[in-house]
């Protein structure tokens, strides 16, 4: 990690620093694939007359994001062949994951859900797995590339790039599918071209990874720790090979979790419960949102046009405003605000089911959803970053961000079945109520877990 940064910028000028702009581009690369296997894919599937139940189950491909902690120690410690030798450990994994995303997005483009649904699912799983791997290495790179002074600006730039990429993957994909195909009816060619274009936008990340410098991570401490543990195993009479493998596994996979539970004790489970449920409301609702727009009679261009204008504006306002609020009022208070806003947003969708096909209402719910998400995400990233020990940055951050999505993504798989049985109005009401236990958990964490971020 670089320890010296000359001529530190102050105020808004910090966002013009090279490292901050790098994280803006990497955030874009990280955020682009998510909706292409989640919300946007749901729109494509529904327009192709795939059942709502199948769309719900299809969302399980995104469970890869919930299990990335399993292979994060491998990315943290092992080099990827050839690329790591040419580019370095972090950049090698970054480029490898990005190339995998590009290839699998092209595979999705060639897979028409009306005739090749299973092939589409396989390529979507590869996109999700590769995207989760990219997230692991970019998060580690962000933590290692600069001192603490820049970390808040890096996180803000990353989130802004991430949210802008989600607008591109959502509104942009719908717009391209509409312009290059049939806006009012299903046209596989339009969707094919749109996904090819999205694969092309991943070059933003590839070019950035090729141009940046490998962070000067200090691996000596990790190697010394691993050597001490290996020696301990050898003293127990273990073979050198067994001791070496066991020492690596213990250092890479056991110690990060051991460290977290040692620092927070019995309250660690309370913290994990909050992380695991905070995004329940918006993730479960998000699977059916685009299917709802299709069933309400909105065209791809209707949704794209609203998202391009109101979505982008409210995303930027939400991200910036969220960072200001966190700095002024403390992380947990703004976490609570984000949870309340998510509840209100989903209740707006309930009203939407009775209003019907109304462009003004569509603009309202998309604006509210992006604003609430921006504020809540700013606080949430700050919170889980505060829980991370820099000594185990990649693995611990991967654990927290995985838990954040694991249960919500699993529960979201049943969303289509729920809508088929009870209708959209009850579905949106039920998802809004999922935010109530989150408020209780925030109260308990604030009461029992004292950290420098709990004010």
């Amino acid at each position: 990690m670089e320890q010296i940064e000359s001529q530190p910028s102050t105020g808004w000028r910090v966002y013009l620093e090279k490292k901050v702009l790098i994280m803006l581009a990497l955030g874009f690369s990280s955020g682009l694939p998510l909706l292409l296997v989640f919300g946007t894919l749901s729109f494509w599937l529904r327009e192709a007359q795939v059942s709502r139940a199948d769309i719900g189950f299809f969302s399980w491909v995104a469970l890869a994001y919930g299990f990335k902690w399993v292979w994060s120690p491998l990315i943290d410690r092992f080099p990827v062949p050839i690329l790591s030798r040419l580019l370095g450990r972090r950049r090698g994994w970054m480029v490898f994951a990005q190339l995998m995303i590009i290839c699998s997005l092209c595979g999705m483009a060639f897979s028409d859900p009306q005739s090749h649904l299973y092939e589409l699912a396989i390529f979507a799983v590869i996109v999700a797995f590769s995207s989760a791997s990219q997230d692991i290495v970019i998060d580690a790179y962000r933590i290692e590339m600069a001192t603490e002074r820049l970390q808040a600006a890096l996180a803000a730039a990353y989130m802004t790039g991430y949210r802008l990429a989600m607008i591109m993957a959502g509104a942009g994909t719908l717009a391209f599918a509409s312009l290059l195909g049939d806006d009012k009816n299903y046209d596989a060619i339009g969707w094919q071209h749109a996904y090819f274009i999205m694969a092309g936008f991943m070059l933003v990340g590839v070019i950035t990874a090729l141009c940046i410098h490998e962070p000067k991570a200090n691996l000596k401490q990790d190697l010394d720790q691993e050597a001490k543990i290996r020696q301990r195993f050898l003293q127990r009479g273990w073979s050198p090979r067994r001791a070496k493998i066991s020492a690596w596994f213990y250092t890479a996979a056991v110690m990060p979790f051991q460290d977290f539970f040692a620092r927070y004790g019995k309250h660690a489970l309370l913290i994990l419960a909050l992380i695991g449920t905070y995004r329940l409301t918006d993730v479960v609702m998000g699977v059916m949102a685009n299917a709802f727009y299709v069933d309400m009679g909105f065209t791809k261009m209707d949704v794209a046009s609203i998202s391009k204008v109101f979505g982008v504006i409210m995303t930027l306002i939400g991200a910036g405003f969220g960072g200001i609020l966190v700095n002024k009022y403390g992380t947990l208070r703004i976490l609570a605000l984000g949870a309340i806003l998510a509840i209100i947003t989903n209740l707006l969708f309930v009203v939407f089911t009775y209003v019907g096909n109304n462009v003004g209402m569509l603009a309202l719910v998309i604006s509210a959803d992006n604003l609430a998400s921006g504020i809540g995400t700013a606080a949430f990233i700050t919170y889980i970053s505060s829980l991370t020990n820099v000594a185990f940055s990649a693995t611990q951050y991967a654990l927290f961000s995985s838990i954040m999505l694991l249960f919500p993504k699993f529960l979201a798989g049943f969303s289509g079945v729920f809508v088929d049985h009870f209708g959209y109005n009850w579905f949106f009401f039920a998802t809004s109520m999922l935010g109530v236990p989150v408020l209780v958990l925030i109260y308990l964490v604030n009461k029992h877990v004292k950290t420098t971020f709990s004010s």
Side-chain angles (χ1 to χ4, degrees), residues 303-442:
V303 179
S305 298
I306 296 297
S307 297
K308 281 189 298 183
V309 179
F310 294 99
V312 170
I313 293 173
M314 299 312 289
T315 291
L316 296 178
I317 292 175
F321 195 44
I324 294 172
L325 290 174
V326 168
N327 184 59
K328 185 175 179 62
Y329 297 106
T331 307
L332 288 179
R333 287 193 181 98
I334 308 308
L335 273 180
L337 175 62
I340 293 170
L341 291 175
I343 293 173
I344 294 173
T345 300
N346 282 29
L347 291 177
L348 282 177
F349 273 90
V350 176
V351 177
F352 200 0
T353 62
Y354 295 103
V355 172
N357 188 308
N358 183 288
V359 175
M361 192 65 185
L362 178 65
L364 176 62
V365 296
I366 287 178
S367 299
D369 184 52
N370 280 278
L371 178 65
S373 182
I375 292 174
T377 303
F380 198 60
I381 289 179
T382 303
Y383 182 65
I384 62 176
S385 296
S386 75
L387 300 173
T388 303
N389 185 338
V390 71
F392 309 105
S393 56
T395 302
Q396 285 189 348
Y397 197 93
L399 169 66
F400 300 143
S401 56
S402 296
I403 292 174
M404 170 184 75
L405 293 174
L406 185 57
F407 182 55
K409 294 287 188 185
F410 173 75
L411 194 62
F414 300 102
S415 57
V417 176
F418 190 99
V419 171
D420 283 341
H421 281 80
F422 301 103
Y424 280 114
N425 53 348
W426 282 108
F427 170 73
F428 291 130
F429 178 77
T431 55
S432 69
M433 291 300 100
L434 291 174
V436 175
V438 173
L439 293 173
V440 175
L441 286 170
I442 292 174

Side-chain angles (χ1 to χ4, degrees), residues 49-125:
Q49 300 300 308
V50 175
S51 71
R52 285 187 289 260
D54 285 344
I55 291 172
F57 295 133
F58 220 94
S59 70
W60 280 344
V61 301
L63 281 173
Y65 293 94
F67 285 100
K68 62 185 179 182
W69 57 273
V70 175
W71 68 91
S72 62
L74 301 178
I75 292 177
D76 204 19
R77 296 301 183 92
F78 281 122
V80 63
I82 302 176
L83 287 175
S84 288
R85 179 168 55 84
L86 295 174
L87 302 173
R89 183 174 52 136
R90 297 302 189 202
R91 294 167 65 220
W93 273 110
M94 206 179 293
V95 171
F96 176 74
Q98 290 161 347
L99 293 177
M100 288 293 294
I101 293 170
I102 291 173
C103 292
S104 45
L105 283 177
C106 291
M108 290 182 68
F110 281 119
S111 305
D112 185 349
Q114 289 189 336
S115 56
H116 300 93
L117 187 62
Y118 291 109
E119 287 86 348
L120 181 66
I122 291 172
F123 284 118
V125 168

Side-chain angles (χ1 to χ4, degrees), residues 5 14-28 30-31 135 138-164 315-316 318-324 326-327 331 373-386 388 397 453:
E5 295 174 31
V14 72
Y15 292 102
L16 298 179
E17 291 206 17
K18 181 180 178 181
K19 292 179 179 180
V20 176
L21 297 177
I22 287 172
M23 285 314 303
L24 181 68
L26 292 179
F28 184 90
S30 187
D135 289 351
I138 289 179
D139 286 332
Y141 184 86
R142 171 174 57 83
I143 293 171
E144 293 171 354
M145 76 182 297
T147 56
E148 184 178 351
R149 179 187 67 82
L150 268 183
Q151 285 300 322
L154 294 178
Y158 173 84
M159 189 176 70
T160 300
Y162 195 98
R163 297 293 299 174
L164 289 176
T315 291
L316 296 178
F321 195 44
I324 294 172
V326 168
N327 184 59
T331 307
S373 182
I375 292 174
T377 303
F380 198 60
I381 289 179
T382 303
Y383 182 65
I384 62 176
S385 296
S386 75
T388 303
Y397 197 93
F453 287 78

